[in-house]
Amino acid sequence: EVQLVESGGGLVKPGGSLRLSCATSGFTLGDAWMTWVRQAPGKGLAWVGRIKSNGDGGTIDYAAPVQGRFIISRDDSQKTLYLQMNSVKIEDTGVYFCSARGRDYYGDSGDYRVLDFWGPGTLVTVSS
Amino acid sequence: SELTQPPSVSVSPGQTATITCSGDALSKEYSYWYRQYPGQAPFMIIYKDTERPSGIPGRISGSLSGTTVTLTISDVQAEDEADYYCRSADSSGDSVLFGGGTKLTVL
């Protein structure tokens, strides 16, 4: 069974730092595209960033609002995804979700099903 | 590049709900639909524009026309009341886009 569990959220002052973790089980972390998504209170989903699978180069991309402040990393041996949040701002407040995406290939024509799993999220509050 | 959804849709039980998502990226990149109940994580209900994950009922379907994708929920039930989000990628494929979300109310 695939499981993702985020941790590390809490209260942090503007300008401070926080590291979120996403513990995974039930799949090979390095084979998945891992994404961080956040949701401000009462608002919609917002993409934070993503790290591709090792097979797809492990490339990391970030949303413009967090580029240069947040860092995504992955420890395949610990089966854990991280989000290092630096120079946090009030607008970084919200629930942070990690998600895993993979492909289940079938048949001979390269068709695949998309597998998509999410953790329950962890709340980050940026306030003085 | 962005994805545009109506903020709200209301339907009576047994009727059909349609939620649209528009954006230039949709003509080039696959779309995905998510359902989210209050206080819970989202979960995928449509992928690759029209495909349903296992466990998602057949009364939920997706379609694509040009730069608009549509989520259709037939025979709407109380359990369908939730927020719905479309997702895709920008033209470079390097950024993930989410629509603003649509709140489906079952009257």
Side-chain angles (χ1 to χ4, degrees), chain A residues 52-76:
Chain A
K52 295 181 180 179
S53 66
N54 290 329
D56 289 317
T59 309
I60 304 174
D61 297 293
Y62 299 95
V66 308
Q67 179 79 47
R69 299 188 298 122
F70 289 11
I71 300 171
I72 293 173
S73 63
R74 180 177 65 207
D75 186 333
D76 292 347

Side-chain angles (χ1 to χ4, degrees), chain A residues 34-64:
Chain A
M34 300 299 296
T35 298
W36 286 99
V37 175
R38 67 185 179 184
Q39 187 168 35
K43 302 297 184 181
L45 302 175
W47 179 65
V48 173
R50 173 197 59 209
I51 179 168
K52 295 181 180 179
S53 66
N54 290 329
D56 289 317
T59 309
I60 304 174
D61 297 293
Y62 299 95

